[in-house]
Amino acid sequence: MIVDIHKMKENVVEYLFHMWQAEDLIRACGFDIEALRRSVVDRCDQPEEVRRQTVRRYEELIEMMQAEGVEEKGHVRLCRDVLTELSDLHLRLLREPGETAYGAVYGQTLPCIVQLRAKSGGTEMTEIETCFTAVYGYLLLRLQKREVNAETAEAIRQISTLLNFLAEKYASIRM
């Protein structure tokens, strides 16, 4: 189910993953709202009003995706802007002398990020976008019930720790 933008304050990381999933569902259903209704919305055990709101959110996201030209790949500006905010916050936290805990988690995660960026074929992404892309890819693999080696699972665990820490910092400044 697509999430309301107000949920972003609760956990920005989960919000972005839900939005990315919604974009993928829209693409998989060929931008057909009736197909989305049948395959996604109607399968949710929710009151009719919640289902109507969900359909409206999907319709709005379809319009955004088409208007912004991200029908094939990529993310709507809303998601890209949130990623930019998170990347900016990440850099601010690394420069902040009192943020030793965040710096320590980042230091433990950096080798994973470097390795992922090396494997990505030189795609220009911020470190935080690299982290999101890695975790989202991992989640898709798990949904497909595909094997993930122990090294990858450990890297994802470490990256998730960093993203969760960043989400907590984001929530604390947004409240």
Side-chain angles (χ1 to χ4, degrees):
M1 178 184 301
I2 194 167
V3 293
D4 192 309
I5 193 165
H6 301 295
K7 300 285 185 192
M8 182 169 48
K9 291 180 182 176
E10 293 173 19
N11 189 316
V12 67
V13 170
E14 288 180 14
Y15 171 79
L16 274 179
F17 286 139
H18 281 286
M19 290 296 292
W20 285 15
Q21 181 184 37
E23 290 170 332
D24 282 347
L25 286 170
I26 288 168
R27 289 179 183 118
C29 290
F31 289 78
D32 180 346
I33 195 65
E34 290 307 315
L36 274 163
R37 185 188 317 269
R38 285 188 310 274
S39 62
V40 179
V41 179
D42 290 346
R43 292 183 178 200
C44 296
D45 185 24
Q46 294 292 327
E48 186 56 36
E49 179 56 28
V50 172
R51 291 199 298 220
R52 272 195 299 275
Q53 290 172 358
T54 302
V55 168
R56 275 196 304 273
R57 287 193 204 107
Y58 275 118
E59 289 171 333
E60 290 168 0
L61 187 53
I62 286 170
E63 288 175 22
M64 277 190 267
M65 290 174 71
Q66 290 174 329
E68 296 175 23
V70 293
E71 293 98 325
E72 300 286 323
K73 63 180 182 175
H75 305 290
V76 294
R77 177 168 259 350
L78 176 67
C79 292
R80 292 190 321 267
D81 288 349
V82 172
L83 267 175
T84 298
E85 279 185 68
L86 288 171
S87 293
D88 291 348
L89 176 60
H90 164 72
L91 295 173
R92 282 196 314 270
L93 291 170
L94 291 177
R95 288 189 303 265
E96 183 66 40
E99 285 295 341
T100 56
Y102 185 82
V105 172
Y106 170 71
Q108 292 173 325
T109 310
L110 185 57
C112 302
I113 296 170
V114 170
Q115 187 175 24
L116 286 167
R117 291 177 113 183
K119 288 180 179 181
S120 72
T123 303
E124 292 295 318
M125 283 189 221
T126 66
E127 289 179 331
I128 296 304
E129 187 174 0
T130 299
C131 291
F132 269 94
T133 301
V135 174
Y136 188 70
Y138 172 80
L139 293 172
L140 291 177
L141 289 173
R142 299 294 298 169
L143 283 173
Q144 297 168 4
K145 300 187 184 326
R146 294 184 50 196
E147 281 289 315
V148 176
N149 67 41
E151 181 183 5
T152 299
E154 177 55 28
I156 295 301
R157 187 198 64 73
Q158 185 60 48
I159 290 168
S160 296
T161 300
L162 178 70
L163 290 178
N164 287 331
F165 204 139
L166 187 61
E168 289 173 13
K169 293 294 185 178
Y170 183 86
S172 72
I173 62 170
R174 300 287 281 184
M175 295 192 162

